[in-house]
Amino acid sequence: GEAKHCPPQAQTSKDSDDQSQYSDVDLNGQRFRPYQYEQWTEKFQDLISFRKEKGHCQVPHTYKENPALARWVKRQRYQYKLKVDGKMSTMTD
């Protein structure tokens, strides 16, 4: 299902809401800037919408309706291949 691909609940490195936009997000020991986490989550939501509309997640490399989603999916595929090949990847389990 979709849930296994969702990022885990994020923990910010600072408790203050005022500081949260500047605090790193920790996902399974990897640290991301909040804007990176937000961008990833936004694109993942776009992918969920794509799947609901099309019935699959095979976004073409040249998807004119949402080129940013096409680029994001391409990067996810590349990071997955690196991970599967045992190379350094930003992808987590």
Side-chain angles (χ1 to χ4, degrees), residues 11 24-32 89-93:
Q11 300 294 321
D24 288 348
V25 177
D26 189 313
L27 298 175
N28 294 331
Q30 291 202 17
R31 300 186 75 71
F32 298 93
S89 170
T90 58
M91 189 165 285
T92 61
D93 290 329

Side-chain angles (χ1 to χ4, degrees), residues 43 59-75:
K43 292 296 174 248
V59 180
H61 290 288
T62 55
Y63 184 53
K64 293 182 195 289
E65 289 85 350
N66 190 340
L69 176 62
R71 287 188 301 272
W72 181 82
V73 168
K74 184 177 179 180
R75 283 192 302 272

Side-chain angles (χ1 to χ4, degrees), residues 20-23 25 32-41:
S20 65
Q21 66 179 343
Y22 305 107
S23 302
V25 177
F32 298 93
R33 295 285 180 206
Y35 76 90
Q36 292 171 313
Y37 177 78
E38 290 165 10
Q39 288 174 342
W40 190 94
T41 302

Side-chain angles (χ1 to χ4, degrees), residues 15 21-23 34-35 38-40 42 47 49 51-52 55 67 81-82:
D15 290 333
Q21 66 179 343
Y22 305 107
S23 302
Y35 76 90
E38 290 165 10
Q39 288 174 342
W40 190 94
E42 181 182 315
L47 181 59
S49 297
R51 182 178 178 206
K52 285 179 183 173
K81 181 176 179 349
L82 290 175

